[in-house]
């Protein structure tokens, strides 16, 4: 990739981090700045959110181990990793952060066999964690049948994250909220709503 490509990747990553922190980044931020402790001070859930934005923007995918590796990576190492992945073929090279040796995270087309455009079960867990509806640092620790309590406020946050992370604008029917009592129930609702004809509820 060219220097321009590297700068575009760097600008994108910095923009996402700036939005997540909701504050200007330090003037001393450089390629040598750690993403975690002693640098930008990102935490576990922030790494997941950052990886989702990067995956959507550049059409790549990080394994769980690679996302964990963000904690010890610098900004420059992450940018280099993204550059290598986008320059390569479909396979993950695992370079850059040096932690991509595990099985890639399931996506909407993976183990859950979700139709195209429908968030997978793991995606739903990430959305619930990002929305703080289930406040955990590791979305994969959430059980498939984990109970969920949605009210008017948490529903708004969930719909916001659904739009932010997946570009899906869905007005969940308030009459259906009483039935959305678990992770699997929410996943099933999204699958049905997003694969139904255009006149279906929520579209």
């Amino acid at each position: 990739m060219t220097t321009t490509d590297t700068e575009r990747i760097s600008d994108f990553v910095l923009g996402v981090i700036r939005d997540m922190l909701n504050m200007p980044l330090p003037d001393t931020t450089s390629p040598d700045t750690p993403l975690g402790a002693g640098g930008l001070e990102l935490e576990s859930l922030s790494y997941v959110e950052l990886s989702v934005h990067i995956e959507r923007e550049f059409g790549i995918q990080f394994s769980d181990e690679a996302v964990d590796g963000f904690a010890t990576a610098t900004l420059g190492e992450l940018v280099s990793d993204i550059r290598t992945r986008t320059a390569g073929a479909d396979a993950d090279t695992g370079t850059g952060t040096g932690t991509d040796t595990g099985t890639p995270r399931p996506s909407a087309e993976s183990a859950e066999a979700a139709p195209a455009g429908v968030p997978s079960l793991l995606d739903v867990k990430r959305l619930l964690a990002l929305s703080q509806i289930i406040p955990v640092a590791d979305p994969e620790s959430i059980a498939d049948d984990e109970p969920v309590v949605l009210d008017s406020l948490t529903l708004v946050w969930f719909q916001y994250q659904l739009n932010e992370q997946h570009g899906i604008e869905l007005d969940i029917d308030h009459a259906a909220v009483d039935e959305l009592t678990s992770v699997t129930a929410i996943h099933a609702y999204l699958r049905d709503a997003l694969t139904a004809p255009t006149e279906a509820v929520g579209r």
Side-chain angles (χ1 to χ4, degrees), residues 60-185:
I60 59 177
Q61 189 167 4
F62 295 101
S63 70
D64 294 320
E65 288 81 1
V67 175
D68 290 341
F70 287 9
T72 56
T74 65
L75 176 62
E77 288 171 339
L78 176 59
V79 170
S80 178
D81 191 14
I82 299 168
R83 183 181 60 196
T84 301
R85 292 169 187 274
T86 55
D90 293 336
D92 257 341
T93 62
T95 57
T97 56
T99 56
D100 197 5
T101 57
T103 304
R105 291 179 295 163
S107 64
E109 294 77 31
S110 65
E112 290 96 4
V118 177
S120 67
L121 190 61
L122 181 55
D123 289 330
V124 172
K125 294 177 182 180
R126 292 191 186 114
L127 290 170
L128 291 169
L130 288 171
S131 306
Q132 291 295 296
I133 295 171
I134 301 179
V136 296
D138 180 12
E140 290 196 64
S141 67
I142 300 174
D144 292 352
D145 59 352
E146 183 85 15
V148 175
V149 178
L150 291 177
D151 55 30
S152 57
L153 180 59
T154 53
L155 180 61
V156 168
W157 273 110
F158 181 80
Q159 291 176 138
Y160 171 79
Q161 290 295 347
L162 182 64
N163 186 25
E164 281 290 297
Q165 307 302 327
H166 296 278
I168 297 173
E169 293 187 18
L170 182 64
D171 185 12
I172 297 177
D173 189 348
H174 283 262
V177 171
D178 290 341
E179 299 178 7
L180 304 182
T181 57
S182 69
V183 177
T184 50

